[in-house]
Amino acid sequence: MSEDAFNMSIRKFLKEVGVTSQRNIEEMVREGQIGGEKKLNVRMTLTAEGTGLNHVVDGEIELP
């Protein structure tokens, strides 16, 4: 696999993660599942089967 194909494959995966995650968060907020909070603490964990990859990103999303 070429470096360009590898890069495109990673970008495609990350775009899917970003788009679907945003949709899920927006839906949860619209449905009022947050309980009046002003911020949402979030965590994304990336793992890869058969590897030791375990990348965790913690963050905070300000709510409307």
Side-chain angles (χ1 to χ4, degrees):
M1 175 182 278
S2 74
E3 193 71 25
D4 286 341
F6 174 60
N7 251 341
M8 289 302 293
S9 183
I10 291 172
R11 287 174 182 258
K12 182 179 177 183
F13 171 75
L14 292 175
K15 182 177 180 180
E16 178 70 19
V17 168
V19 169
T20 58
S21 297
Q22 182 173 348
R23 284 183 190 148
N24 280 285
I25 292 168
E26 289 172 344
E27 183 178 321
M28 185 179 56
V29 170
R30 275 195 300 274
E31 291 176 357
Q33 297 177 20
I34 305 302
E37 298 295 322
K38 297 202 184 276
K39 293 184 180 181
L40 180 65
N41 292 317
V42 292
R43 171 175 289 156
M44 180 66 71
T45 303
L46 175 66
T47 60
E49 245 180 77
T51 74
L53 178 63
N54 186 24
H55 179 69
V56 178
V57 178
D58 289 312
E60 201 173 71
I61 297 172
E62 292 186 30
L63 300 172

Coordinates of all heavy atoms in Angstrom, one line a residue:
M1 N 0.9 -1.2 0.0 CA 0.0 0.0 0.0 C 0.9 1.2 0.0 O 1.9 1.3 0.8 CB -0.9 0.0 1.2 CG -1.7 1.2 1.4 SD -2.8 1.3 2.8 CE -4.2 0.3 2.3
S2 N 0.6 2.2 -0.8 CA 1.3 3.4 -0.9 C 1.0 4.3 0.3 O 0.0 4.2 1.0 CB 1.0 4.2 -2.2 OG -0.3 4.8 -2.1
E3 N 2.0 5.2 0.5 CA 1.8 6.2 1.6 C 0.5 7.0 1.4 O -0.2 7.3 2.4 CB 3.0 7.1 1.7 CG 3.1 7.9 3.0 CD 3.4 7.1 4.2 OE1 4.0 6.0 4.1 OE2 3.0 7.6 5.3
D4 N 0.2 7.4 0.2 CA -1.0 8.2 -0.1 C -2.3 7.4 0.2 O -3.2 7.9 0.8 CB -1.0 8.7 -1.5 CG 0.0 9.8 -1.8 OD1 0.4 10.5 -0.8 OD2 0.3 10.0 -3.0
A5 N -2.3 6.2 -0.2 CA -3.4 5.3 0.1 C -3.6 5.1 1.6 O -4.8 5.1 2.1 CB -3.3 4.0 -0.7
F6 N -2.5 4.9 2.3 CA -2.5 4.7 3.7 C -3.1 6.0 4.4 O -4.0 5.9 5.2 CB -1.1 4.5 4.2 CG -1.0 4.4 5.7 CD1 -1.7 3.5 6.5 CD2 -0.1 5.3 6.4 CE1 -1.5 3.4 7.8 CE2 0.1 5.2 7.7 CZ -0.7 4.3 8.5
N7 N -2.6 7.2 4.0 CA -3.1 8.4 4.5 C -4.6 8.6 4.3 O -5.4 9.0 5.1 CB -2.4 9.6 3.9 CG -1.4 10.3 4.9 OD1 -1.6 10.1 6.1 ND2 -0.5 11.0 4.3
M8 N -5.1 8.3 3.1 CA -6.5 8.4 2.7 C -7.3 7.5 3.5 O -8.4 7.9 3.9 CB -6.7 8.2 1.2 CG -6.1 9.3 0.3 SD -6.8 10.9 0.7 CE -8.5 10.7 0.2
S9 N -6.8 6.3 3.8 CA -7.6 5.3 4.5 C -7.8 5.8 6.0 O -8.9 5.7 6.6 CB -6.9 4.0 4.5 OG -7.6 3.0 5.2
I10 N -6.7 6.4 6.5 CA -6.8 6.9 7.9 C -7.8 8.1 7.9 O -8.7 8.2 8.8 CB -5.4 7.4 8.4 CG1 -4.5 6.2 8.6 CG2 -5.6 8.2 9.7 CD1 -3.1 6.5 9.0
R11 N -7.7 9.0 7.0 CA -8.6 10.2 6.9 C -10.0 9.8 6.8 O -10.9 10.3 7.4 CB -8.2 11.1 5.8 CG -6.9 11.8 6.1 CD -6.4 12.6 4.9 NE -5.2 13.3 5.1 CZ -5.1 14.6 5.4 NH1 -6.2 15.3 5.5 NH2 -3.9 15.1 5.6
K12 N -10.3 8.7 6.0 CA -11.7 8.3 5.8 C -12.2 7.7 7.1 O -13.4 8.1 7.4 CB -11.7 7.2 4.7 CG -13.1 6.7 4.4 CD -13.0 5.6 3.3 CE -14.4 5.0 3.1 NZ -14.3 3.9 2.1
F13 N -11.4 6.9 7.8 CA -11.9 6.4 9.1 C -12.1 7.5 10.1 O -13.2 7.6 10.7 CB -10.8 5.4 9.7 CG -11.1 5.0 11.1 CD1 -12.1 4.1 11.3 CD2 -10.4 5.6 12.1 CE1 -12.4 3.8 12.6 CE2 -10.7 5.2 13.4 CZ -11.7 4.3 13.7
L14 N -11.2 8.5 10.2 CA -11.4 9.6 11.2 C -12.5 10.5 10.8 O -13.2 11.0 11.7 CB -10.1 10.4 11.3 CG -8.9 9.6 11.9 CD1 -7.6 10.4 11.9 CD2 -9.2 9.2 13.3
K15 N -12.8 10.7 9.5 CA -13.9 11.5 9.1 C -15.2 10.8 9.6 O -16.1 11.4 10.1 CB -13.9 11.7 7.6 CG -15.1 12.5 7.1 CD -15.0 12.8 5.7 CE -16.2 13.7 5.2 NZ -16.1 13.9 3.8
E16 N -15.3 9.5 9.4 CA -16.5 8.7 9.8 C -16.7 8.8 11.3 O -17.8 9.0 11.8 CB -16.3 7.2 9.4 CG -17.5 6.4 9.8 CD -18.8 6.6 9.1 OE1 -18.7 7.2 8.0 OE2 -19.8 6.2 9.6
V17 N -15.6 8.7 12.1 CA -15.7 8.8 13.5 C -16.2 10.2 13.9 O -17.1 10.3 14.7 CB -14.3 8.6 14.2 CG1 -14.3 9.0 15.6 CG2 -13.9 7.1 14.0
G18 N -15.6 11.2 13.3 CA -16.0 12.6 13.6 C -17.5 12.9 13.3 O -18.2 13.4 14.1
V19 N -17.9 12.5 12.1 CA -19.3 12.8 11.7 C -20.3 12.1 12.5 O -21.3 12.6 13.0 CB -19.4 12.5 10.2 CG1 -20.9 12.5 9.7 CG2 -18.6 13.5 9.3
T20 N -20.1 10.8 12.7 CA -21.0 10.0 13.5 C -21.0 10.4 14.9 O -22.1 10.4 15.6 CB -20.8 8.5 13.3 OG1 -19.5 8.2 13.8 CG2 -21.0 8.0 11.9
S21 N -19.9 10.7 15.5 CA -19.8 11.2 16.9 C -20.6 12.5 17.1 O -21.3 12.7 18.0 CB -18.4 11.3 17.3 OG -17.7 10.1 17.3
Q22 N -20.4 13.4 16.1 CA -21.1 14.7 16.2 C -22.6 14.5 16.2 O -23.3 15.1 16.9 CB -20.6 15.7 15.1 CG -21.3 17.0 15.2 CD -20.7 18.0 14.2 OE1 -19.7 17.8 13.6 NE2 -21.4 19.1 14.1
R23 N -23.0 13.7 15.3 CA -24.5 13.4 15.1 C -25.0 12.8 16.4 O -26.1 13.2 16.9 CB -24.7 12.4 14.0 CG -24.6 13.1 12.6 CD -25.0 12.1 11.6 NE -24.7 12.6 10.3 CZ -24.3 11.9 9.2 NH1 -24.1 10.5 9.4 NH2 -24.0 12.4 8.1
N24 N -24.3 11.9 17.0 CA -24.8 11.3 18.3 C -24.8 12.3 19.4 O -25.8 12.3 20.2 CB -23.9 10.1 18.6 CG -24.2 8.9 17.9 OD1 -25.2 8.2 18.1 ND2 -23.4 8.5 16.9
I25 N -23.9 13.1 19.5 CA -23.8 14.1 20.6 C -25.0 15.1 20.4 O -25.7 15.5 21.3 CB -22.5 14.8 20.7 CG1 -21.4 13.9 21.1 CG2 -22.6 16.1 21.6 CD1 -20.0 14.4 21.0
E26 N -25.2 15.6 19.1 CA -26.2 16.6 18.9 C -27.6 16.0 19.2 O -28.5 16.6 19.7 CB -26.2 17.0 17.4 CG -25.0 17.9 17.1 CD -24.8 18.2 15.6 OE1 -25.4 17.5 14.8 OE2 -24.1 19.1 15.3
E27 N -27.8 14.7 18.8 CA -29.1 14.1 19.0 C -29.3 13.9 20.5 O -30.5 14.2 21.0 CB -29.1 12.7 18.4 CG -30.4 11.9 18.5 CD -30.3 10.6 17.8 OE1 -29.7 10.5 16.7 OE2 -30.9 9.6 18.4
M28 N -28.3 13.6 21.3 CA -28.5 13.4 22.7 C -28.8 14.8 23.4 O -29.7 14.8 24.2 CB -27.2 12.9 23.3 CG -27.2 12.6 24.8 SD -25.6 12.0 25.4 CE -24.5 13.3 24.9
V29 N -28.2 15.8 22.9 CA -28.5 17.2 23.4 C -29.9 17.6 23.1 O -30.7 18.1 23.9 CB -27.4 18.2 22.9 CG1 -27.9 19.6 23.3 CG2 -26.1 17.9 23.5
R30 N -30.3 17.4 21.8 CA -31.7 17.8 21.4 C -32.7 17.0 22.2 O -33.8 17.6 22.4 CB -31.8 17.5 19.9 CG -31.3 18.6 19.0 CD -31.9 18.5 17.6 NE -31.4 17.2 17.0 CZ -30.3 17.0 16.3 NH1 -29.4 18.0 16.2 NH2 -30.0 15.8 15.8
E31 N -32.5 15.8 22.5 CA -33.5 15.0 23.2 C -33.5 15.3 24.7 O -34.2 14.7 25.4 CB -33.2 13.5 23.0 CG -33.5 13.1 21.5 CD -33.2 11.6 21.3 OE1 -32.6 10.9 22.2 OE2 -33.4 11.2 20.1
G32 N -32.6 16.2 25.1 CA -32.6 16.6 26.5 C -32.0 15.6 27.5 O -32.4 15.5 28.7
Q33 N -31.1 14.7 27.0 CA -30.5 13.7 27.9 C -29.4 14.2 28.7 O -28.7 13.4 29.4 CB -30.1 12.5 27.0 CG -31.2 11.8 26.2 CD -30.6 10.7 25.3 OE1 -29.5 10.2 25.5 NE2 -31.4 10.3 24.4
I34 N -29.1 15.5 28.7 CA -28.0 16.0 29.4 C -28.3 16.4 30.8 O -27.5 16.5 31.7 CB -27.4 17.3 28.7 CG1 -27.1 16.9 27.2 CG2 -26.2 17.8 29.3 CD1 -26.1 15.8 27.1
G35 N -29.6 16.7 31.1 CA -30.0 17.0 32.5 C -29.6 18.4 33.0 O -29.2 18.6 34.1
G36 N -29.7 19.4 32.1 CA -29.5 20.8 32.5 C -28.0 21.2 32.7 O -27.7 22.3 33.2
E37 N -27.1 20.4 32.3 CA -25.7 20.7 32.4 C -25.3 21.8 31.5 O -25.9 22.0 30.4 CB -24.8 19.5 32.2 CG -25.1 18.3 33.2 CD -24.7 18.7 34.6 OE1 -23.7 19.4 34.8 OE2 -25.4 18.3 35.6
K38 N -24.2 22.5 31.8 CA -23.7 23.5 30.9 C -22.5 23.0 30.0 O -22.2 23.6 29.0 CB -23.2 24.7 31.7 CG -24.3 25.4 32.4 CD -24.0 26.8 32.8 CE -25.1 27.4 33.6 NZ -26.2 28.0 32.9
K39 N -21.9 21.9 30.5 CA -20.8 21.3 29.7 C -21.0 19.8 29.7 O -21.5 19.3 30.7 CB -19.5 21.7 30.3 CG -19.2 23.2 30.2 CD -17.8 23.5 30.7 CE -17.6 25.0 30.6 NZ -16.2 25.4 31.0
L40 N -20.5 19.2 28.7 CA -20.5 17.8 28.6 C -19.0 17.2 28.6 O -18.3 17.6 27.7 CB -21.2 17.4 27.3 CG -21.3 15.9 27.0 CD1 -22.2 15.2 28.1 CD2 -21.9 15.7 25.6
N41 N -18.7 16.5 29.6 CA -17.3 15.9 29.6 C -17.4 14.6 28.7 O -18.2 13.8 28.9 CB -16.9 15.5 31.0 CG -16.7 16.7 31.9 OD1 -16.2 17.7 31.5 ND2 -17.3 16.6 33.1
V42 N -16.5 14.6 27.8 CA -16.4 13.5 26.8 C -15.1 12.8 26.8 O -14.1 13.4 27.2 CB -16.8 14.0 25.4 CG1 -18.2 14.4 25.3 CG2 -15.8 15.1 25.0
R43 N -15.1 11.6 26.3 CA -13.8 10.8 26.2 C -13.9 9.9 24.9 O -15.0 9.2 24.7 CB -13.6 9.9 27.4 CG -12.4 8.9 27.2 CD -12.2 8.1 28.5 NE -11.6 9.1 29.4 CZ -11.6 8.9 30.7 NH1 -12.2 7.8 31.2 NH2 -11.0 9.8 31.5
M44 N -12.9 10.0 24.2 CA -12.9 9.1 23.0 C -11.7 8.2 23.2 O -10.6 8.6 23.5 CB -12.7 9.9 21.7 CG -12.6 9.2 20.4 SD -14.1 8.3 20.0 CE -15.2 9.7 19.5
T45 N -11.9 6.9 23.0 CA -10.8 5.9 23.1 C -10.6 5.2 21.8 O -11.6 4.6 21.2 CB -11.2 4.9 24.2 OG1 -11.4 5.6 25.4 CG2 -10.0 3.9 24.4
L46 N -9.4 5.2 21.3 CA -9.1 4.5 20.0 C -8.2 3.3 20.4 O -7.2 3.4 21.0 CB -8.3 5.5 19.1 CG -7.8 4.9 17.8 CD1 -8.9 4.5 16.9 CD2 -6.8 5.9 17.1
T47 N -8.7 2.2 19.9 CA -8.0 0.9 20.0 C -7.9 0.3 18.7 O -8.7 0.6 17.8 CB -8.6 -0.1 21.0 OG1 -9.9 -0.4 20.6 CG2 -8.7 0.5 22.4
A48 N -7.0 -0.6 18.5 CA -6.9 -1.4 17.2 C -6.7 -2.9 17.6 O -5.7 -3.2 18.3 CB -5.7 -0.9 16.4
E49 N -7.5 -3.7 17.1 CA -7.5 -5.1 17.3 C -6.1 -5.7 17.0 O -5.5 -5.4 16.0 CB -8.5 -5.8 16.4 CG -9.6 -6.5 17.2 CD -10.6 -7.2 16.3 OE1 -10.3 -8.3 15.8 OE2 -11.7 -6.6 16.1
G50 N -5.6 -6.5 18.0 CA -4.3 -7.2 17.8 C -3.1 -6.3 18.0 O -2.0 -6.7 17.6
T51 N -3.3 -5.1 18.5 CA -2.2 -4.2 18.8 C -2.3 -3.7 20.2 O -3.3 -3.9 20.9 CB -2.2 -3.0 17.9 OG1 -3.2 -2.1 18.3 CG2 -2.4 -3.4 16.4
G52 N -1.3 -3.0 20.7 CA -1.3 -2.3 22.0 C -1.8 -0.9 21.9 O -1.7 -0.2 22.9
L53 N -2.4 -0.5 20.8 CA -2.9 0.9 20.7 C -4.1 1.1 21.6 O -5.0 0.4 21.7 CB -3.4 1.1 19.2 CG -3.9 2.5 19.0 CD1 -2.9 3.6 19.2 CD2 -4.5 2.6 17.6
N54 N -3.9 2.1 22.5 CA -5.0 2.6 23.4 C -4.8 4.1 23.6 O -4.1 4.5 24.5 CB -4.9 1.8 24.7 CG -6.0 2.2 25.6 OD1 -7.1 2.6 25.2 ND2 -5.8 2.0 26.9
H55 N -5.4 4.8 22.7 CA -5.2 6.3 22.7 C -6.5 6.9 23.2 O -7.6 6.7 22.7 CB -4.9 6.8 21.3 CG -4.8 8.3 21.2 ND1 -3.7 9.0 21.7 CD2 -5.6 9.2 20.6 CE1 -3.9 10.3 21.5 NE2 -5.0 10.4 20.8
V56 N -6.4 7.7 24.3 CA -7.5 8.3 25.0 C -7.4 9.8 24.8 O -6.4 10.4 25.1 CB -7.6 7.9 26.5 CG1 -8.8 8.6 27.1 CG2 -7.7 6.4 26.6
V57 N -8.5 10.4 24.4 CA -8.6 11.9 24.3 C -9.8 12.3 25.2 O -10.9 11.9 25.0 CB -8.8 12.4 22.9 CG1 -9.0 13.9 22.8 CG2 -7.7 11.9 22.0
D58 N -9.6 13.1 26.2 CA -10.6 13.7 27.1 C -10.9 15.1 26.6 O -10.0 15.8 26.2 CB -10.2 13.7 28.5 CG -10.1 12.3 29.1 OD1 -11.1 11.5 28.9 OD2 -9.1 11.9 29.7
G59 N -12.1 15.5 26.7 CA -12.5 16.9 26.4 C -13.7 17.3 27.0 O -14.4 16.6 27.8
E60 N -14.1 18.6 26.7 CA -15.3 19.2 27.3 C -16.0 19.9 26.2 O -15.4 20.6 25.4 CB -14.8 20.2 28.3 CG -15.8 20.6 29.4 CD -15.2 21.4 30.5 OE1 -14.9 22.6 30.2 OE2 -15.0 20.9 31.6
I61 N -17.3 19.7 26.1 CA -18.1 20.4 25.1 C -19.1 21.3 25.8 O -19.8 20.9 26.7 CB -18.9 19.3 24.2 CG1 -17.9 18.4 23.5 CG2 -19.8 20.0 23.3 CD1 -18.6 17.3 22.8
E62 N -19.0 22.6 25.4 CA -20.0 23.6 25.9 C -21.3 23.4 25.3 O -21.4 23.2 24.1 CB -19.5 25.0 25.7 CG -18.2 25.3 26.5 CD -17.8 26.7 26.4 OE1 -18.7 27.6 26.2 OE2 -16.6 27.0 26.4
L63 N -22.3 23.4 26.1 CA -23.7 23.1 25.6 C -24.5 24.4 25.4 O -24.2 25.4 26.1 CB -24.4 22.2 26.6 CG -23.7 20.8 26.8 CD1 -24.4 20.0 27.9 CD2 -23.7 20.0 25.5
P64 N -25.5 24.3 24.5 CA -26.3 25.5 24.3 C -27.2 25.9 25.5 O -27.5 25.1 26.3 CB -27.1 25.2 23.1 CG -27.1 23.7 23.0 CD -25.9 23.2 23.7

